[in-house]
Amino acid sequence: MRRITPCCRIALTLLVIAAGLRTARADEVQATANLIDRHIEARWKIDGVVPAELSDDAEFFRRINLHIGGVIPTVWEVRSFVADPTPDKRRQAVEHLLSGPRYIAHFTSTWRKVMLPETETDPNLRALAPEFEGWLRQRLIDNTSYDRMVRELLTAPLSRSNAMTMGNTGREATPAGFFAAKEMKPENLAAGSARTFLGVRIDCAQCHDHPFDAWKRRQFWGYAAFFAGIVPARAGSDDIPVQQSVEVFDRRELAIPDDINQRVVQATFLNGDQPEWKPRTSSRQTLADWITARDNPYFARATVNRLWAHFFGLGLVDPVDDLSPANIPSHPELLDELGREFARHDFDLQFLIRAIVNSRTYQLTSRRTHDSQDEPSRFARMAVQGLTAESVYRSLQRATGAAPPDVADRSVVLFAPQGEDQQFRELFANVTDRPIDRQTSILQALLIMNGPQTDVRQLRILEAILAFPDLTAAEQIETLFLSTVSRLPAAAESARLVQAVEAQASPDERRKVLGDILWALLNSSEFLFNH
């Protein structure tokens, strides 16, 4: 008998420990998913709601690929998933997506839009995005905890050698674009950081006491004073506009502009607490520590609410950046408990994603089966959600064979100054933060109907199907459905379409009918929405 060496024993022990940790982690994910279902179902009973049934495998698989990976699955992936008899294949599909490049690509873009929304609307600031996305991408690859990401961002070095040059290229990945996008002004940084990381709107209090909320002007400028130490050093005179800054660590007060009493306020947290200043610690570091603290009343709940809205199309608090006593959550106890679980698991974004998508609530079908399911905030069925410009573009590429699958996986940034991707970006720019309110505009519909992406005379998927002479008409139609709407055609759909194809006498006429079917599928709501 072969002896087991000490090294092998250690390796086996580590494997056993790792397997045990994975099992424990999976149990905690399921416990949190069950927590979600308990709260949602308790509210259903109170409101007399009849929830929808569970989604079928094809519906769930397409949904999870778009929410986590930002692109529809391939034909082969859909076939394999639907045919897989494994009981926990849904959980395995989630794990596969979270460990792959699609999650990194999609959530890099998603978090950049959250943290740097100016890049979506200001072409001049769009140049900040590549370096910011480079920083985000590496943090997501490393599964860096969210509190650490936010601390890194809020304390990004602002020395002259680093990062505050707008429009420059070739620099290392850095989150410093957050400060450049806010023009390094304390009032802009205060409003932006409060909305993004705390989910509160204090903008109004910049000029006057908030008319509907508790925020006072003194609170706003006290919070802004944490950024008072950022001082523009000088304006550059190069061709590219330069805005370099230095930081004065002990500057922690601001004069309230145009204040009749000429008040000067000290840096103060939004809850009114005074900071405990430490030697050689910047005010930004002190603020970052408070924002990301486990007992911060906003941070964990705001992040939970934002991710909830990503997957359900609607936050437990709506809008997502308006946590306020005047804006009651649809399920306040659930929001509080999920916030505590998120903090207890070290602000692990993947843990929170796993818990949400493994819940029964998330896996309900989007098909309406009862009147009580109409109110979106009851989460009694999955809301139909509009896709982002990137998801529409990447899904069209995948469905039509315009790009190899791995290219569609990596495609993240649509920053080309010209070209069809830029055209998509402009036409499919989100007009609202709520995906459930998104509608297809006339220009979007015209682009999908008449653009080169749906010109059936040159789509590779059609050529590939026709290149296999042994495929029956039913198999050809089945492939077109799987490549576009990620499901098999219903029996009635298949029978009618097969009859239309087989009625054609010549190969050219048969090709034309198949092209029409493909065009119709690409222009359908089922393709252009997540459901």
Side-chain angles (χ1 to χ4, degrees):
M1 178 182 294
R2 181 177 295 177
R3 293 182 57 190
I4 300 177
T5 65
C7 289
C8 287
R9 286 198 187 96
I10 293 173
L12 286 171
T13 302
L14 291 175
L15 286 173
V16 170
I17 292 173
L21 289 174
R22 282 197 298 272
T23 302
R25 196 73 167 174
D27 290 344
E28 292 181 26
V29 166
Q30 192 55 53
T32 308
N34 294 341
L35 178 154
I36 292 172
D37 292 334
R38 281 200 305 275
H39 280 283
I40 296 293
E41 289 169 6
R43 186 60 181 271
W44 287 344
K45 289 180 180 176
I46 294 173
D47 294 341
V49 171
V50 179
E53 297 176 350
L54 276 179
S55 56
D56 62 30
D57 285 342
E59 182 181 2
F60 169 81
F61 194 57
R62 184 179 193 273
R63 178 188 304 164
I64 203 68
N65 269 272
L66 282 165
H67 275 152
I68 293 182
V71 65
I72 60 172
T74 65
V75 172
W76 177 84
E77 288 171 334
V78 180
R79 286 189 190 277
S80 300
F81 183 79
V82 172
D84 186 355
T86 309
D88 67 340
K89 64 180 179 182
R90 295 193 177 195
R91 184 189 62 78
Q92 291 182 23
V94 171
E95 294 301 319
H96 178 72
L97 282 166
L98 286 174
S99 63
R102 296 180 204 170
Y103 163 71
I104 303 300
H106 185 47
F107 272 79
T108 294
S109 175
T110 299
W111 282 116
R112 189 260 305 160
K113 291 177 184 176
V114 170
M115 297 177 179
L116 221 58
E118 299 87 348
T119 56
E120 289 294 289
T121 55
D122 189 334
N124 294 322
L125 294 177
R126 204 165 291 165
L128 297 169
E131 295 157 9
F132 195 85
E133 288 207 349
W135 171 77
L136 269 175
R137 188 176 300 112
Q138 190 58 52
R139 299 305 172 279
L140 291 172
I141 290 171
D142 297 339
N143 195 29
T144 302
S145 64
Y146 187 64
D147 62 325
R148 183 179 164 190
M149 287 171 58
V150 173
R151 280 199 300 274
E152 280 188 28
L153 185 153
L154 290 173
T155 60
L158 302 180
S159 66
R160 292 190 177 200
S161 60
N162 194 344
M164 285 294 98
T165 302
M166 294 173 59
N168 214 337
T169 57
R171 291 176 178 271
E172 63 181 19
T174 170
F178 179 82
F179 293 85
K182 274 70 177 174
E183 302 174 309
M184 286 173 286
K185 295 180 177 177
E187 59 270 34
N188 295 350
L189 290 163
S193 61
R195 271 190 182 233
T196 305
F197 305 122
L198 301 176
V200 294
R201 299 180 177 186
I202 60 173
D203 317 38
C204 282
Q206 178 179 343
C207 302
H208 50 75
D209 291 348
H210 200 295
F212 311 114
D213 217 327
W215 305 116
K216 305 299 181 186
R217 199 172 182 217
R218 184 182 183 86
Q219 278 180 290
F220 177 90
W221 287 100
Y223 181 75
F226 283 99
F227 300 102
I230 302 173
V231 181
R234 62 183 176 82
S237 58
D238 298 330
D239 293 337
I240 300 174
V242 176
Q243 191 175 21
Q244 293 179 317
S245 288
V246 296
E247 186 165 22
V248 181
F249 272 27
D250 58 356
R251 182 172 295 182
R252 301 157 180 165
E253 63 180 26
L254 279 175
I256 300 178
D258 303 322
D259 185 61
I260 57 175
N261 297 318
Q262 299 183 332
R263 288 177 294 176
V264 175
V265 293
Q266 302 294 317
T268 308
F269 298 130
L270 281 179
N271 63 354
D273 290 349
Q274 296 294 324
E276 293 182 9
W277 302 111
K278 300 175 183 175
R280 296 186 295 279
T281 301
S282 75
S283 55
R284 288 192 295 135
Q285 179 67 61
T286 304
L287 176 63
D289 290 343
W290 176 78
I291 286 178
T292 58
R294 294 194 177 199
D295 60 352
N296 185 295
Y298 301 104
F299 181 66
R301 294 165 72 242
T303 313
V304 165
N305 191 50
R306 197 175 287 282
L307 272 182
W308 183 279
H310 175 85
F311 287 99
F312 288 96
L314 178 76
L316 295 167
V317 174
D318 183 56
V320 292
D321 54 0
D322 193 16
L323 272 63
S324 158
N327 191 21
I328 306 299
S330 60
H331 300 74
E333 295 85 5
L334 173 58
L335 181 61
D336 291 344
E337 284 206 46
L338 271 184
R340 284 193 288 271
E341 287 300 308
F342 182 46
R344 192 169 71 84
H345 288 87
D346 300 324
F347 300 102
D348 183 346
L349 292 171
Q350 290 197 11
F351 172 83
L352 188 55
I353 292 172
R354 289 185 178 99
I356 290 174
V357 302
N358 279 295
S359 69
R360 181 175 183 273
T361 307
Y362 176 81
Q363 298 188 17
L364 295 178
T365 181
S366 62
R367 287 186 293 277
R368 179 181 180 276
T369 56
H370 193 272
D371 293 346
S372 61
Q373 299 159 6
D374 288 344
E375 173 51 50
S377 63
R378 288 172 170 167
F379 305 105
R381 65 184 173 102
M382 177 53 67
V384 177
Q385 302 164 41
L387 301 179
T388 63
E390 290 91 340
S391 287
V392 174
Y393 186 73
R394 293 170 65 192
S395 296
L396 270 173
Q397 282 187 310
R398 170 153 292 165
T400 60
D406 61 330
V407 172
D409 288 349
R410 292 196 307 267
S411 176
V412 185
V413 185
L414 303 178
F415 290 116
Q418 295 179 339
E420 64 181 40
D421 53 353
Q422 181 63 12
Q423 188 179 23
F424 255 86
R425 183 185 184 79
E426 293 173 354
L427 285 183
F428 282 83
N430 298 343
V431 295
T432 172
D433 288 335
R434 299 209 320 174
I436 62 172
D437 293 334
R438 213 165 287 159
Q439 296 182 351
T440 304
S441 70
I442 293 175
L443 290 178
Q444 290 171 357
L446 288 173
L447 178 63
I448 298 294
M449 285 191 289
N450 304 311
Q453 298 83 9
T454 56
D455 184 350
V456 294
R457 295 170 299 180
Q458 54 188 14
L459 297 184
R460 292 180 182 173
I461 182 68
L462 198 55
E463 300 303 325
I465 289 173
L466 293 168
F468 285 92
D470 293 338
L471 282 182
T472 65
E475 290 169 335
Q476 290 173 326
I477 290 165
E478 181 179 295
T479 304
L480 290 178
F481 268 73
L482 290 171
S483 70
T484 52
V485 293
S486 312
R487 66 169 173 87
L488 294 171
E493 291 172 321
S494 181
R496 188 167 53 184
L497 295 175
V498 166
Q499 184 180 24
V501 172
E502 291 181 340
Q504 308 308 312
S506 69
D508 287 345
E509 291 171 328
R510 188 182 177 109
R511 185 190 190 287
K512 183 176 183 308
V513 172
L514 287 170
D516 289 344
I517 295 170
L518 175 58
W519 184 90
L521 288 168
L522 293 173
N523 280 277
S524 67
S525 297
E526 189 174 357
F527 177 76
L528 294 171
F529 287 81
N530 195 6
H531 47 85

